[in-house]
Amino acid sequence: MTMTQTDIIDLPLRGISCGGCASRATKALAALPGVIEPSVNPMTRHAHLRLDGATLAQVQDALTRAGYPAELTTTRIEIEGMTCGACAARIQRALEASPDIAEAQVNLATRAATISHAPLASAADLADRITRMGYPARPAGSAEAKAPVHDTEARALGADALRAGLLTLPVFVLEMGGHAVPAFHHWLHGLVGQQALWLIQMALTAAVLAGPGRRFFTTGIPALLRGAPEMNSLVALGAGAAFLFSSVVTLAPGLVPEASRHVWFEAAAVIATLILTGRYLEARARGKAGEAIRRLIELAPDQARLIRDGKPVLVPTASLRPDDLVLLQPGERVALDGIVTEGQGHIDESMLTGEPLPVLKAPGDAVTGGTLNGGAALTYRVQATGADTVLSRIVAMVESAQATRLPVQALVDRVTRIFVPVVMALSALTLALWLAFGPGLAEAIVAAVAVLIIACPCAMGLAVPVSVMVGSGRGAELGVLFRRGDALQKLASARVIGFDKTGTLTLGRPSVTGIWTEGLTEDRALTLMAAAEAQSEHPLARAILQEAEARALPLPRAESVRAEAGRGLTAEVDGLSLLIGNATALTEAGIATAPTLLDQAEAAARKGATPVHLAVDGRHVASLALSDRVRPDAKATVAALRAMGLRTVMLSGDVPATAQAVGAELGLDEVKAGLSPQQKLQEIRAMGADTVFVGDGINDAPALAAAETGLAIGSGTDIAIEAADAVLISGESAGVVRALRLSRAVMRNIRQNLFWAFAYNTALIPVAMGVLVPFGGPALSPMLGAGAMAMSSVCVIGNALRLRRAG
């Protein structure tokens, strides 16, 4: 391998804090074959190395295993000129062959590439590399990329298809009209003669191929010369061969045997026209596939009423800043995320959460940009702008999911990689066989052209990405955000679903429903516990604090507060040593539990409450019961999942009696309780493949990451949950059923698309080759092949668009 400038890699690393870290990272790189002269600077926290055989993906893997992952940059590039899966696969292979690129995902449906690369490679440089391959490219978000690509492409293709149709119509009528109506044929030949008719057809067909059909030749022929033929190459060869043979018959008939002196100008013209028409319909359909994102973007209003000097002033939304006060009139959409400061009314959040019922908002409540106000005026303070808003993050998630290549795409890539060369070989074989056993040269050329045209693999390339595109967009409308597109495939094969309890199957808003004490009053016990829990974010801690606030109890200052996950906490309050937690925590600390308090707490637990115990200076003095209501839709959700054939399991850190009571109420298949976070991880791993875990997205991040598919139930203002594969922004457990149904619908749709694409080619290539002719069957006309090929892509996209009604 010749060393070039691009083989010199400079990478910023995470986790480098000293010379020892740098030494370990350097050692990890040096152990990787194909890495030359690696060095890590502990001051700049950068790794400098040369690659001679190793890839950036291997470098990243080695650094990650060492604990110092590289901070790679992700860039999205818009690409023009991709017409089939072979184009996308070729661009992806070329990009991933570059030493400064770790991964590239090229999506035919979105006409974009998502590239993970070393920071020194600029977006403009990446776009230039793709452009040099013959596919004009530009960084996403650039001024040139702002126009709606699908709309622009559809308009251009529509205009070209119309021009091609107008030029092709007289060619088709002159040739085929004579075959259909013999009197018309004789009248034409008597009027102008056969030679003049052929010259007219040749001129009109040349106008079609040199004008609207020029794109097939300007793209397809260079690709063929580079040894990388694709769909345009097949069309150029097919239409070009039909036109050239017919032109020779017209201008130099002596070069062709008399029996083969037929012209096929109408075939060449109709092929170009039908394929242009198919691409136009495809571009329109792809535009519809991206409507979900456009509708989300359009939810945010362009203007808002900024309160300035006490009066509302209409200003552009882009000019708003955090802490600005905005007046929201009845019927208006919320401009940006904020907190209500004045007024009370209902807001329709259905376009973000999928929930149809409006939500009551009062001072202190969060409002989300893009949601629709009801009949009351509200004032809110802006909290987030630009890319930090919930709506922007939702759009980013959906775009990221749409750009992801599903594992099933690998099969399609392997097929399309060899498909075009195989088709060209079959076309050549067809020509040879027809010349050897057929009636003549003209028929041999027609059969070879038919094979070229019928086998264009555009439907194959679209089968997977267009379904992902529509499905992930539909998910956003239903309040299901797939952070990674491959979650769509993994979720469809789920067989076991594990649930957290608090905040997932229950509302996560527990309240104190019982207090029992020995040796001190209820208020004193509450005061001590609330003081210790004041700094905790746990739902149970908030319930204790709310009860203390309701009783107006003054809270002393707690010191030496230390929490232990899954057990409780220790603290010192008013000179007393406190331990607050479950019965296991008391036992492990060597504290004897008071039988009366324990019995009362366990009786409450059997009814679904969570017991919390207080020990003061090593003595068990109080027990509390905290009840958390089951979510209204949880029972129906569990029943629906079981009806879909899934096994449901609760994995809870709560006491067994409480968890069993909730599990019995909901009809779960299995309940595992009293689990520490580490035990919960072990249980998830033990459940094996095709496992889903559903949690609240905050406390359950490790479990969400450990499961094969993690579903985070989050609120509309807390959706950026990095550990989860998908986020249910409605906060309702019913979103789990929606996600599963949508995932299964998408995978079913993909299988249908792949069957249509593969079966179509498998069935029609032999027909085009003429295998039915010896048995009295028909030979496939190139025109019919072009029409069938064009409609195959339209049918694949049309089938995917049915997902807009899924869920």
Side-chain angles (χ1 to χ4, degrees):
M1 174 178 174
T2 303
M3 195 65 66
T4 66
Q5 183 64 31
T6 56
D7 298 322
I8 302 172
I9 306 295
D10 186 79
L11 299 171
L13 305 185
R14 290 200 300 269
I16 300 293
S17 57
C18 62
C21 300
S23 176
R24 285 188 289 273
T26 302
K27 185 177 179 181
L29 290 171
L32 185 65
V35 173
I36 301 173
E37 300 173 358
S39 64
V40 178
N41 189 321
M43 300 300 294
T44 63
R45 300 176 184 176
H46 275 232
H48 188 81
L49 61 147
R50 289 175 177 266
L51 298 182
D52 188 8
T55 65
L56 185 55
Q58 293 170 331
V59 169
Q60 174 70 318
D61 183 58
L63 288 169
T64 301
R65 280 189 275 107
Y68 309 102
E71 294 180 345
L72 301 179
T73 300
T74 299
T75 299
R76 183 178 167 87
I77 304 292
E78 303 279 0
I79 306 173
E80 296 178 8
M82 290 194 299
T83 54
C84 64
C87 302
R90 184 169 301 112
I91 296 171
Q92 180 165 317
R93 288 198 307 274
L95 288 172
E96 290 184 338
S98 299
D100 55 350
I101 293 177
E103 182 184 17
Q105 295 193 353
V106 182
N107 192 303
L108 178 62
T110 60
R111 297 297 199 265
T114 302
I115 305 169
S116 178
H117 59 91
L120 288 181
S122 68
D125 173 55
L126 295 171
D128 185 57
R129 297 185 203 181
I130 298 172
T131 300
R132 288 199 300 271
M133 296 179 213
Y135 303 93
R138 54 183 175 257
S142 65
E144 306 85 45
K146 291 296 184 183
V149 175
H150 295 309
D151 293 344
T152 304
E153 183 183 12
R155 283 196 297 270
L157 284 168
D160 281 350
L162 179 61
R163 285 194 292 270
L166 293 174
L167 291 168
T168 298
L169 182 60
V171 178
F172 187 83
V173 170
L174 289 174
E175 183 63 27
M176 304 307 293
H179 291 294
V181 183
F184 180 65
H185 171 79
H186 296 310
W187 176 77
L188 277 176
H189 279 248
L191 183 66
V192 296
Q194 177 177 278
Q195 184 69 13
L197 288 175
W198 285 359
L199 288 171
I200 293 171
Q201 291 181 45
M202 185 177 74
L204 291 171
T205 302
V208 171
L209 299 182
R214 185 176 64 254
R215 68 188 71 212
F216 301 125
F217 297 89
T218 57
T219 303
I221 298 303
L224 185 63
L225 295 176
R226 290 195 302 268
E230 35 92 279
M231 175 181 167
N232 289 300
S233 304
L234 297 182
V235 177
L237 286 175
F243 177 78
L244 287 175
F245 176 78
S246 301
S247 298
V248 170
V249 171
T250 302
L251 300 177
L255 299 176
V256 180
E258 187 174 351
S260 297
R261 290 174 190 171
H262 308 296
V263 296
W264 304 97
F265 290 120
E266 85 286 353
V270 169
I271 285 169
T273 300
L274 286 176
I275 293 176
L276 285 171
T277 303
R279 288 193 184 178
Y280 163 67
L281 295 173
E282 177 191 323
R284 283 192 60 188
R286 278 190 284 108
K288 290 181 181 179
E291 278 181 0
I293 285 185
R294 284 203 296 275
R295 284 199 297 268
L296 284 172
I297 293 172
E298 290 167 0
L299 287 177
D302 295 328
Q303 294 181 312
R305 302 178 191 276
L306 172 66
I307 297 179
R308 183 182 293 161
D309 300 326
K311 296 180 180 179
V313 179
L314 205 59
V315 300
T317 299
S319 68
L320 294 177
R321 295 292 178 266
D323 292 328
D324 282 347
L325 284 176
V326 177
L327 175 64
L328 183 64
Q329 296 280 35
E332 288 185 338
R333 289 198 178 273
V334 181
L336 296 168
D337 300 354
I339 301 294
V340 176
T341 58
E342 292 182 34
Q344 180 172 304
H346 288 82
I347 286 186
D348 179 359
E349 298 183 335
S350 59
M351 277 304 293
L352 293 177
T353 66
E355 299 300 323
L357 295 179
V359 180
L360 180 64
K361 301 291 183 180
D365 291 336
V367 291
T368 306
T371 54
L372 182 64
N373 189 24
L378 302 173
T379 301
Y380 65 94
R381 187 179 301 278
V382 174
Q383 296 288 104
T385 61
D388 296 326
T389 64
V390 169
L391 188 60
S392 295
R393 287 149 63 193
I394 288 174
V395 170
M397 278 190 188
V398 176
E399 287 180 336
S400 175
Q402 290 181 344
T404 304
R405 294 168 67 83
L406 268 61
V408 71
Q409 182 72 40
L411 169 65
V412 181
D413 290 345
R414 286 196 295 271
V415 172
T416 54
R417 185 177 305 173
I418 63 171
F419 194 80
V420 173
V422 168
V423 167
M424 293 176 65
L426 289 174
S427 178
L429 176 63
T430 301
L431 179 66
L433 291 173
W434 276 77
L435 286 174
F437 304 105
L441 176 62
E443 290 78 7
I445 290 177
V446 169
V449 168
V451 172
L452 288 173
I453 299 302
I454 197 69
C456 292
C458 49
M460 291 184 192
L462 288 168
V464 176
V466 76
S467 293
V468 174
M469 186 177 183
V470 180
S472 54
R474 177 58 176 161
E477 295 176 344
L478 295 172
V480 180
L481 296 181
F482 290 94
R483 294 185 60 252
R484 288 179 282 273
D486 55 358
L488 276 166
Q489 181 170 341
K490 292 190 296 182
L491 191 58
S493 60
R495 57 178 184 83
V496 183
I497 294 197
F499 288 93
D500 175 49
K501 181 180 77 69
T502 304
T504 302
L505 294 173
T506 64
L507 291 172
R509 296 192 294 271
S511 59
V512 177
T513 54
I515 304 176
W516 304 277
T517 63
E518 285 187 2
L520 74 172
T521 65
E522 289 185 7
D523 283 358
R524 178 59 175 164
L526 264 176
T527 298
L528 293 173
M529 296 179 78
E533 299 278 13
Q535 300 175 16
S536 175
E537 293 296 322
H538 196 282
L540 299 183
R542 291 196 294 270
I544 295 171
L545 284 168
Q546 287 170 358
E547 182 67 19
E549 290 172 1
R551 300 189 183 201
L553 300 176
L555 301 184
R557 186 165 181 265
E559 298 177 343
S560 304
V561 179
R562 188 168 68 88
E564 183 178 346
R567 291 290 182 264
L569 58 79
T570 59
E572 291 187 7
V573 179
D574 286 344
L576 302 174
S577 178
L578 308 185
L579 171 60
I580 303 170
N582 54 28
T584 303
L586 268 64
T587 301
E588 289 180 351
I591 299 172
T593 53
T596 303
L597 295 178
L598 192 62
D599 289 346
Q600 290 168 320
E602 289 180 349
R606 285 192 292 273
K607 297 178 182 178
T610 299
V612 178
H613 303 278
L614 168 66
V616 177
D617 289 339
R619 189 168 69 89
H620 186 193
V621 297
S623 296
L624 274 69
L626 298 102
S627 296
D628 184 10
R629 286 195 302 120
V630 169
R631 287 184 179 272
D633 60 340
K635 188 171 184 178
T637 296
V638 172
L641 292 173
R642 295 185 66 183
M644 294 168 69
L646 287 99
R647 183 166 153 262
T648 56
V649 181
M650 179 195 291
L651 303 175
S652 175
D654 211 338
V655 295
T658 301
Q660 291 289 350
V662 173
E665 180 182 352
L666 297 178
L668 292 161
D669 293 308
E670 188 176 359
V671 174
K672 297 185 178 183
L675 303 176
S676 68
Q678 186 59 37
Q679 289 172 325
K680 189 179 287 190
L681 288 179
Q682 291 170 356
E683 290 289 345
I684 290 171
R685 290 176 180 138
M687 288 193 294
D690 301 327
T691 299
V692 178
F693 182 74
V694 187
D696 65 12
I698 300 171
N699 303 338
D700 300 307
L704 288 165
E708 186 163 332
T709 307
L711 296 181
I713 291 186
S715 69
T717 56
D718 183 23
I719 61 169
I721 303 170
E722 292 299 321
D725 297 293
V727 181
L728 312 177
I729 61 174
S730 68
E732 298 293 329
S733 59
V736 179
V737 179
R738 287 194 205 116
L740 276 160
R741 285 177 177 162
L742 180 63
S743 175
R744 291 183 176 185
V746 169
M747 292 310 299
R748 185 165 56 248
N749 193 270
I750 287 173
R751 286 192 292 270
Q752 292 165 353
N753 284 351
L754 288 174
F755 172 80
W756 173 260
F758 283 106
Y760 155 82
N761 282 291
T762 303
L764 291 186
I765 287 177
V767 175
M769 293 180 70
V771 296
L772 299 180
V773 173
F775 307 100
L780 188 68
S781 163
M783 291 186 293
L784 293 178
M789 187 278 295
M791 290 311 297
S792 68
S793 295
V794 176
C795 289
V796 162
I797 296 178
N799 185 50
L801 289 176
R802 296 189 304 114
L803 289 170
R804 294 191 296 177
R805 299 187 297 273

